[in-house]
Amino acid sequence: MNHHDDKKAVVSDAENKAKDASELDKPRPFESHLVVDEIVKDYAAQGGFDYLEGKGKPLHISNDDILNTILKNSNFLPPWVELQKEIRLRMVATIKKIDQQAGSTIISQEIDEINALIKVYNRKVPNSALQKGFVTAENLKLKYSDKWE
């Protein structure tokens, strides 16, 4: 090796040491998942999981959104779902009136009230794909069976 190559090697070593030193100076993120894994392993080794209810049985994991699952288990219905139920009940009652051949004025008023509720419902639903179309006396049965049942 000649003198020129020695200088390159020394410079290269110095650059590498400087890079290594700068890496040491950088703050390293706290890797909490490793700490938690260690705690869980220690707990399991001490028998902490030996007497859990349902041990050895399959877990039931819901495919639902976690928030929706919690709300369902709490018997909470979002306002738009409650309104949906009310609209269904109104539709069933109006269908019965149509089948009983009630007066057209009464049916027309019922349809207007249902459509007003559908308008409110459409504003409350969280996704536009859940919105419903308005109904008429002629299409009420079809719309109910296709979209509301």
Side-chain angles (χ1 to χ4, degrees):
M1 219 194 290
N2 66 30
H3 179 68
H4 191 273
D5 290 336
D6 286 340
K7 275 186 171 180
K8 282 185 178 177
V10 170
V11 170
S12 179
D13 286 342
E15 287 174 349
N16 287 337
K17 287 180 184 174
K19 285 181 185 175
D20 291 343
S22 70
E23 289 296 318
L24 292 175
D25 291 340
K26 287 184 183 176
R28 286 187 243 164
F30 179 68
E31 295 178 351
S32 62
H33 66 283
L34 298 176
V35 175
V36 172
D37 286 346
E38 192 63 35
I39 292 170
V40 170
K41 285 178 188 174
D42 289 346
Y43 188 73
Q46 295 170 6
F49 296 120
D50 290 348
Y51 301 102
L52 292 176
E53 185 179 327
K55 182 180 178 194
K57 296 178 184 173
L59 290 175
H60 171 70
I61 300 173
S62 175
N63 290 333
D64 288 339
D65 173 30
I66 291 173
L67 177 62
N68 284 339
T69 301
I70 292 169
L71 293 175
K72 275 187 216 173
N73 291 342
S74 302
N75 293 322
F76 173 82
L77 291 177
W80 63 273
V81 175
E82 290 178 1
L83 185 56
Q84 185 180 51
K85 286 184 172 188
E86 182 182 344
I87 293 169
R88 278 191 197 123
L89 292 173
R90 293 269 191 116
M91 289 175 103
V92 168
T94 304
I95 289 169
K96 286 180 183 174
K97 289 178 183 176
I98 290 171
D99 289 344
Q100 295 169 354
Q101 298 178 352
S104 62
T105 306
I106 293 171
I107 292 173
S108 179
Q109 287 175 336
E110 294 280 331
I111 296 292
D112 289 343
E113 289 173 14
I114 291 170
N115 284 330
L117 290 173
I118 290 173
K119 187 175 186 177
V120 172
Y121 170 85
N122 286 342
R123 279 192 244 129
K124 288 186 177 189
V125 293
N127 187 327
S128 62
L130 298 171
Q131 292 181 345
K132 310 289 187 186
F134 295 122
V135 296
T136 63
E138 292 77 29
N139 71 10
L140 181 62
K141 286 182 184 180
L142 180 64
K143 290 263 188 162
Y144 177 77
S145 63
D146 282 352
K147 303 282 183 186
W148 291 91
E149 236 177 353

